[in-house]
Amino acid sequence: MNKEKLAQLKHNLLAQKKQLEDDLSNIAVKDKNLEDDYDAKYKNLDSEPMDHSTEALEVSNYQDNLSLEANLELQLRDVNDALEKMEKGVYGKCEKCKGEIKAERLEAIPHAKLCLDCAKS
């Protein structure tokens, strides 16, 4: 892969990382003890007492945020892994067959870990 394409993919990964971190900060707070870990916010934990319907809505929103937080954290981990592979010079190698991942696949999914053949199997 040429340096220009690699630089473009790195730019895309960094933009994706920023977006994921922004999205996470809207629904969670960064865990001070664990790197790249977030904890979903429970908005009205210390506020005035709520009626049952408001409390149920808050619990439902919190449960949704827990699921979303987990998904965003996984995506962020994959992006960070791809950036680390770039630094080590092994970006774009399939983790299964060790072959090259085609540039078109990396353009679509910059954090792809598998080539298309291995992803299908």
Side-chain angles (χ1 to χ4, degrees), residues 3 19 25 47 89 94:
K3 289 183 181 185
Q19 183 63 54
S25 70
S47 66
C94 177

Side-chain angles (χ1 to χ4, degrees), residues 14-78:
L14 289 170
Q16 187 176 6
K17 178 179 178 170
K18 170 96 171 78
Q19 183 63 54
L20 289 166
E21 290 172 339
D22 289 348
D23 291 347
L24 276 163
S25 70
N26 287 329
I27 62 163
V29 292
K30 191 158 179 54
D31 189 317
K32 296 175 185 171
N33 299 317
L34 297 172
E35 186 177 344
D36 294 332
D37 186 53
Y38 290 77
D39 298 315
K41 297 176 189 175
Y42 191 85
K43 291 187 180 185
N44 290 324
L45 189 61
D46 295 326
S47 66
E48 298 176 15
M50 297 180 271
D51 63 46
H52 292 297
S53 62
T54 304
E55 187 174 314
L57 180 61
E58 285 298 317
V59 169
S60 177
N61 287 340
Y62 177 71
Q63 289 173 328
D64 290 345
N65 286 347
L66 280 174
S67 177
L68 182 57
E69 171 211 334
N71 187 302
L72 291 171
E73 281 181 341
L74 289 174
Q75 290 179 51
L76 182 59
R77 183 201 64 209
D78 289 345

Side-chain angles (χ1 to χ4, degrees), residues 1 5 9 101-110 116:
M1 181 177 319
K5 177 60 68 181
L9 290 168
I101 300 174
K102 291 185 179 181
E104 295 83 13
R105 178 160 171 76
L106 292 171
E107 287 172 4
I109 308 169
L116 194 54

